[in-house]
Amino acid sequence: MHASKDLSEFNAGTVLSLLGRNPSKQEGFLNPSLYKGSTVIHPNLESLESLGGRFWYGTAGSPTIANLEDSWTELTGAAGTVLSPTGLGSISLAILSVVKHGDHILLPISVYGPTANFCNNVLRKFGVNSEFYDPLIGKDIEELIKTNTSLIFLESPCSQTMEIQDVPAIVKVAKKHNVKTVLDNTWATPLFFKAHDYGIDISVEAGTKYVGGHSDLLLGLTSANSRCWPALRSTYDAMGMLPGADDCHLALRGLRTLQLRVKEAERKALILAEWLEARNEVERILHPAFEDCPGHSLWVRDYSGSTGVFTFILKDQFSRAGLKDMLEKMQIFKLGYSWGGYESLLIPVNSTSRDRIRTWSHFGYALRIQVGLEDIDDQLRDLEMGFERLKSHVSDVLQARL
Ligand SMILES: *Cc1c(COP(=O)(O)O)cnc(C)c1O
């Protein structure tokens, strides 16, 4: 592995290329080898009895796991990183490393649904009470802090509704009251938002998305600053929830092209969002780089880029039959969960989660788009034809009003 001091002088693209490998220790091969396994042989009885060495049994990690952990620590500027088998696993691990019985925690209303589910259904059983706040609350979050508040969870932008949060303002309040902060930074990745530089204690990345990049693995990466690292590591060690070595190896490979892929996703998402904004069928674009997006000015202030996931809201004349016809016959934009892979996806924003949506004064369907690596002209044509199918279910009178 390259020592940190070797990499600090380089920019992100170079760092991503050099991380987690050391050809001089790999028989000259560019890439590190893959370690899988449970048993580790100890050289003597003392080593066995004292659980000696960095790797003393498979649940304590392996060179392959450590390699990805160290690479992520380098990239995020954290004190340390642990990995989980899924992004959701990272979120629950991060929260569990902070809370205890009797605590009160705060989460944004439009947080990723499974995060809310974990808090409402699992944490509650252990006496941890969750309260949901307006993601645009900013410094006024201070009014929600109680004597037993231990954690403010943030997600920016929020899933589906895309609100950018005022991270510095919330971190400032949290520090004043000795409350810890956890940020789900999956959308931006550390390339576009350096969470720990903004004072976030624990940052979570669903590696399933852009790090993996090919929809062929599930993974979570949780990094912490020095204040929260010991508790995060010991909670992780106690739980024994590790990803498989193959997935870590794939994720390390994904890191090599991460910058290339997110920049391409950004470029195409901006083209598509502009095209969609000009369409008569579209009411509103919720893309952080667009003024209509809640928290846009915070994105301009704090983020160095945008990625390939955004939401757009349709005008309200369209029927479910039209929507079905539009979505089910798409050739490029497929119906499927998750994002960050090479294939484009287009799905309705979950209407059953509307009670978690902050201010939703729109009645039209909202669609979330994940921009894949297909040719932009093919993507635009697919959307164009989709809109034709959507409109074909609307009466001529209503069509004239579009
Ligand atoms: C997908 C996602 C997760 C969860 O990742 P999984 O690996 O699918 O569990 C968490 N947060 C956000 C914002 C996500 O988009």
Side-chain angles (χ1 to χ4, degrees), residues 85-89 91 112 115 155 159 184 186-187 206-209 218-220 338-339 368:
T86 63
L88 179 58
I91 290 167
Y112 177 64
T115 304
E155 183 180 328
S159 283
D184 185 336
T186 301
W187 179 85
T208 308
K209 310 290 168 58
L218 290 159
L219 191 81
S338 204
W339 45 268
R368 189 186 71 184

Side-chain angles (χ1 to χ4, degrees), residues 303-346:
Y303 286 68
S304 59
S306 56
T307 53
V309 178
F310 66 95
T311 294
F312 59 96
I313 302 172
L314 295 171
K315 292 202 176 137
D316 61 11
Q317 358 337 47
F318 303 110
S319 62
R320 178 166 171 93
L323 188 74
K324 235 174 106 63
D325 203 15
M326 173 185 183
L327 297 179
E328 289 177 355
K329 293 188 186 138
M330 300 295 282
Q331 292 191 316
I332 305 251
F333 288 89
K334 294 299 171 59
L335 280 170
Y337 291 111
S338 204
W339 45 268
Y342 52 84
E343 189 169 70
S344 291
L345 303 169
L346 184 62

Side-chain angles (χ1 to χ4, degrees), residues 27 70 82 90-91 94 127 135 147 166 190 199 214 221-222 230-231 239 261 268 276 289 311 337 341 349 354:
E27 314 281 349
D70 293 348
V82 286
S90 273
I91 290 167
T147 50
D166 192 340
H214 296 74
L221 305 105
T222 312
M239 308 238 322
R261 289 182 287 102
K268 286 159 98 178
L276 286 164
T311 294
Y337 291 111
V349 166
R354 280 185 179 210

